[in-house]
Amino acid sequence: MAGLLLGWWWAAFGGLAGTLMGLAMLARSRGRPALARWWWLGIAWSLLVCSVSIGVVGTLRLRAAADDPLRPLANAGAAGTFRVEITERAKPVFSAGFGGQQSGVRAVVLPARVVTALVGGRLVRSTGAVILVGPPDRWRPLLPGQQVTATAVMAPAEPGQLTVAVLRVRGPPDAVGEAAVWQRVAQNLRSGLRDAAGVLDPESAGLVSALVVGDTDGLPPQVAEEFRTAGLAHLLAVSGTNLAVICVAVLLLLRVLRCGPRTAAAGAMASLVGFVVLAGPEPSVLRAAVMGAVGLLALAIGRQRAALPALSVAVIVLVLWDPAMAVSIGFALSVLATGGLVLIAPRWAERLVDRGVPRGLAEALAVPAAAHLVTAPVVAGFAGQVSVVAIVANLLAAPVVAPATVLGVLAAVVSPAVPWLAELLVRLAGPEADWLIFVARRGADVPGAVIAWPGGWLGGFLLAGCLALLVLALRNRRLRVLAGLVLAGFLVVVVPVRVIAPGWPPAGWAMVACDVGQGDAIVLATGEAGRAVVVDTGSEVAPLAACLDRLDVSRVPLVVLTHLHADHIGGLDAVLADHAVGAVGVSRARVPRWAWKEVRAEAQDAQVPVVQLTAGQRLAWPGLEIDVLAPDNEEVMPAAESDGTEINNASLVLRAVTPAGRVLLSGDVELAAQARLLDERVDLSADVIKVPHHGSRYTSPELFAAVRPRIAVVSVGAGNPYGHPSSFTLRALARMGVLVLRTDTAGDTAIVPSATGPRAVTRGPSRSPP
């Protein structure tokens, strides 16, 4: 870790210091009693072997990566032609839609190793690790072990890693080599599992593939976010748990068939190797295989004393094999979880049994509690949050993980030969997948399910200290009573404040601009509790779903899509899937075509009608009126090949009359549409304006003068690449004395009535998942 984060020479220094300590211990072992001498010799030789290994092997690898000739070329942004060998399967990069660009996977990331490099007409001698970023269509099918040639532009790699450069590729791979036979077989099995899972609904189908082989390509982003919030994200990646489940299932089967211990052990080992081939022998899978083998060893011999040395040897071997694991979050979580399961969970289970708890229930309680306890500091350090529902969620999920995994593996194995049997096995795994999604969704919906925590090293050590004090306190009777009183006080004081009387939303809210990133999503309250109109839905499902949950909206009489750009329609399913929706309102514009097809398909699936809105219409509900100001039937709608500006100018413009005052919702209208509104002398006056197009430069001061707002809300994403909001637009509002609120800095922004007019209340920016 020191060598990666501080410089390769720190690894050499650590190896030298350890070697000197080992030699000193060897010298001190002389003349001691036999038993003590053997103890000293064991420690000394262990220290010597590890120190020399990391001091020589580790230092050489770290120095080679640090001095790789591609590093300075990457810092200069050089381009070249590279022959590389793929080392891991492609990982998709999901991008939220914006404008006319549809959301989805726009790139894939492939770790690789350089074979040859030709940069600037000269051959560069490098065998360093690189990251390829390329288009998904041709790069996604590549398998580990294949060699390809690519023309790429280099970029600097992230510091603290063995990766020497990032290669950005735009074209397809050339001179693609053949993958190994067993790699092609494993790919066919994974594809067969995906095809068989198609008999389930999309959420369950994506989860089955993720649960079995860590393939999250088909898992909806909202489901993945719910699993993260509920503390179940580890189920979406291949871990030691997967391997242990498969091996234990094979062991039990062989024991039922009355096979001997050696045959059972050989069968379990064969299943472990087979699963590694199925999931792909990538570093994360091999790490999981080693951790799973450690768990099996502890289970097989029933001795906790043997588990700790086995785990330690596994850590040493893996770090020597791949020094980058020293700074890998996934590796740290695997080691800690395995250690908690084999060292802490059995002791806790025995103590619960001694207190009269049935053994099965005791083990079911001890395993998730121990795993969560030891991994919580690492999660808090890198995520900046702590899940308070993780233990309960894992307890509820545990009974179905094993059968779903076994059924999924069996489905993958039989899919090439007997597809109908694979589909049957997947159907049997469907209820388990549905249960896991239910647990994750309900866990994520719990108010205060995730508590914000300081991030980084400080946050991790702080939580580790708190947990250590808690464990020590529980070992003492008096301190246990004190801890119980503190917990009771927490339940009596904090929970009612957070759940029964939460700080959000503010009482009497009339409008809320949801923090959905780079997009728009406005919620207008009606006079009936739980009933609201939604105007635009942002670019993704999860942020809007969370915002509506916070507002406790259950009924939506109308969803208005001001125009069909991705950052306004991408979250439509968040409204249609979980709420009673009356209709979806759109303008006469039907472009982009892909967006119109998507809106119609989602509305049809939800059995919700799509209605057309036009200027002059008035929509009314108790406590809310909406006037459609533009566009009218005379305006020319954009054609299929129209650019973004024309589509923006066809946005619906609405004015809502609420208890807090009048609110102008301007969509993404730009200068031409704004000028048309001003020329036609449309009454635009309002107390609150949703600034057009995320506060872009293309907003005229004359529009603000016609509206004369007191409050301006800018719905915009943090760190967006478009320069929104424009400083020109912000200065124009500031000169008028308008209060400007931005969702990237203020989070969800509510408008509430007061005696002096509309008042703004903000929730604070949301924390993005890591």
Side-chain angles (χ1 to χ4, degrees):
M1 183 182 291
L4 284 167
L5 298 179
L6 302 177
W8 64 265
W9 54 87
W10 281 93
F13 175 77
L16 177 61
T19 301
L20 293 177
M21 291 176 61
L23 293 174
M25 294 184 72
L26 280 178
R28 294 192 62 180
S29 67
R30 297 174 182 174
R32 293 182 178 273
L35 184 61
R37 185 168 182 270
W38 280 111
W39 187 81
W40 277 84
L41 284 174
I43 295 178
W45 278 110
S46 298
L47 188 58
L48 277 173
V49 170
C50 293
S51 299
V52 171
S53 299
I54 199 67
V56 177
V57 179
T59 299
L60 291 176
R61 290 195 62 184
L62 291 174
R63 182 176 182 181
D67 296 340
D68 192 284
L70 287 182
R71 282 192 183 272
L73 296 173
N75 292 332
T81 302
F82 304 86
R83 184 70 177 172
V84 299
E85 179 179 326
I86 306 300
T87 56
E88 298 184 32
R89 296 205 316 270
K91 297 177 176 60
V93 179
F94 181 86
S95 299
F98 184 78
Q101 194 170 35
Q102 191 172 7
S103 62
V105 177
R106 298 185 195 156
V108 292
V109 174
L110 296 97
R113 179 183 60 84
V114 176
V115 178
T116 59
L118 188 65
V119 182
R122 66 184 182 90
L123 186 65
V124 179
R125 297 184 178 276
S126 170
T127 58
V130 295
I131 297 291
L132 279 165
V133 181
D137 51 352
R138 297 289 298 275
W139 289 90
R140 200 172 196 167
L142 295 178
L143 297 174
Q146 286 187 282
Q147 290 193 2
V148 299
T149 301
T151 301
V153 176
M154 289 190 290
E158 186 177 346
Q161 302 289 337
L162 291 179
T163 305
V164 300
V166 175
L167 307 183
R168 301 187 181 276
V169 183
R170 291 193 175 182
D174 296 323
V176 179
E178 194 74 18
V181 174
W182 55 272
Q183 285 279 11
R184 297 200 300 271
V185 171
Q187 178 67 11
N188 290 336
L189 294 179
R190 292 190 292 266
S191 299
L193 176 61
R194 282 196 297 270
D195 294 340
V199 300
L200 304 176
D201 65 79
E203 290 185 346
S204 298
L207 180 58
V208 168
S209 294
L211 191 67
V212 176
V213 294
D215 180 6
T216 58
D217 290 8
L219 191 67
Q222 180 184 5
V223 177
E225 176 62 25
E226 289 167 346
F227 270 70
R228 278 192 292 267
T229 302
L232 298 173
H234 60 91
L235 298 178
L236 306 181
V238 175
S239 66
T241 302
N242 301 70
L243 292 144
V245 164
I246 298 302
C247 293
V248 168
V250 172
L251 282 173
L252 292 176
L253 176 62
L254 295 176
R255 292 295 295 272
V256 170
L257 297 176
R258 298 186 178 181
C259 296
R262 294 184 180 180
T263 303
M269 183 56 65
S271 66
L272 187 146
V273 173
F275 188 86
V276 169
V277 172
L278 173 63
E282 302 172 4
S284 59
V285 179
L286 294 175
R287 176 189 71 211
V290 175
M291 295 297 108
V294 170
L296 281 174
L297 176 64
L299 178 68
I301 63 179
R303 293 178 56 199
Q304 295 180 17
R305 292 182 179 179
L308 183 58
L311 178 61
S312 302
V313 170
V315 171
I316 293 168
V317 171
L318 285 171
V319 170
L320 286 176
W321 172 64
D322 183 7
M325 286 192 179
V327 292
S328 168
I329 298 295
F331 181 60
L333 292 174
S334 290
V335 173
L336 290 172
T338 305
L341 295 179
V342 300
L343 297 176
I344 300 176
R347 298 182 182 181
W348 286 3
E350 288 299 328
R351 291 186 179 180
L352 290 174
V353 170
D354 292 341
R355 287 169 171 77
V357 179
R359 179 168 294 277
L361 178 59
E363 292 176 351
L365 291 171
V367 167
H372 185 62
L373 176 79
V374 297
T375 57
V378 177
V379 174
F382 85 88
Q385 60 186 29
V386 177
S387 175
V388 297
V389 300
I391 294 178
V392 176
N394 278 276
L395 176 64
L396 295 173
V400 302
V401 171
T405 302
V406 173
L407 290 169
V409 170
L410 291 175
V413 171
V414 303
S415 60
V418 194
W420 66 266
L421 181 56
E423 293 182 359
L424 175 61
L425 292 168
V426 167
R427 288 187 186 278
L428 293 176
E432 291 90 331
D434 292 339
W435 172 251
L436 291 173
I437 293 172
F438 174 81
V439 171
R441 186 155 292 160
R442 293 298 169 262
D445 287 343
V446 172
V450 173
I451 296 177
W453 191 266
W457 291 92
L458 175 62
F461 282 121
L462 178 62
L463 184 58
C466 292
L467 292 175
L469 291 175
L470 178 62
V471 171
L472 291 175
L474 294 177
R475 296 171 67 92
N476 182 282
R477 175 180 288 273
R478 293 182 178 179
L479 292 178
R480 275 203 304 268
V481 174
L482 178 61
L485 292 174
V486 172
L487 178 60
F490 176 84
L491 294 174
V492 170
V493 177
V494 177
V495 172
V497 170
R498 293 290 301 273
V499 178
I500 300 175
W504 189 263
W509 63 273
M511 179 198 108
V512 170
C514 296
D515 180 10
V516 293
Q518 186 67 10
D520 279 4
I522 307 296
V523 185
L524 299 169
T526 68
E528 302 175 23
R531 193 173 186 222
V533 172
V534 176
V535 180
D536 289 326
T537 62
S539 59
E540 297 180 78
V541 170
L544 178 58
C547 181
L548 293 176
D549 286 345
R550 290 190 291 268
L551 298 176
D552 198 23
V553 172
S554 58
R555 294 172 295 158
V556 180
L558 179 65
V559 182
V560 179
L561 304 177
T562 59
H563 60 299
L564 300 182
H565 272 163
D567 51 320
H568 293 253
I569 69 167
L572 177 60
D573 196 50
V575 189
L576 298 178
D578 299 319
H579 305 83
V581 180
V584 176
V586 298
S587 73
R588 291 192 295 116
R590 300 290 188 266
V591 289
R593 292 291 174 81
W594 66 262
W596 174 236
K597 291 180 181 179
E598 184 176 296
V599 168
R600 281 196 305 173
E602 291 183 7
Q604 185 175 1
D605 290 344
Q607 298 182 342
V608 173
V610 178
V611 299
Q612 181 175 303
L613 303 179
T614 189
Q617 288 180 305
R618 169 167 289 188
L619 312 169
W621 299 269
L624 175 66
E625 291 183 359
I626 295 179
D627 291 312
V628 183
L629 305 182
D632 57 33
N633 289 322
E634 303 298 324
E635 295 182 28
V636 178
M637 290 294 101
E641 64 278 3
S642 299
D643 61 16
T645 296
E646 293 183 16
I647 297 174
N648 286 338
N649 283 328
S651 295
L652 287 167
V653 179
L654 312 174
R655 184 175 59 202
V657 179
T658 75
R662 298 205 292 186
V663 179
L664 183 69
L665 303 176
S666 55
D668 277 359
V669 291
E670 297 187 21
L671 295 174
Q674 295 166 21
R676 189 161 53 244
L677 287 169
L678 295 173
D679 291 343
E680 294 175 357
R681 300 185 181 278
V682 176
D683 181 11
L684 301 174
S685 60
D687 302 286
V688 180
I689 183 174
K690 197 286 299 181
V691 179
H693 201 194
H694 321 291
S696 79
R697 170 68 175 78
Y698 304 108
T699 306
S700 66
E702 291 79 10
L703 176 69
F704 296 140
V707 178
R708 299 187 301 279
R710 301 172 61 177
I711 299 174
V713 177
V714 184
S715 186
V716 65
N720 69 83
Y722 311 102
H724 296 162
S726 165
S727 58
F728 172 84
T729 301
L730 296 179
R731 285 196 299 269
L733 290 166
R735 284 194 294 268
M736 296 177 60
V738 179
L739 173 64
V740 178
L741 297 166
R742 302 167 42 173
T743 57
D744 60 337
T745 56
D748 293 351
T749 300
I751 303 298
V752 298
S754 71
T756 58
R759 182 171 62 90
V761 180
T762 61
R763 178 175 176 267
S766 302
R767 300 184 73 98
S768 299

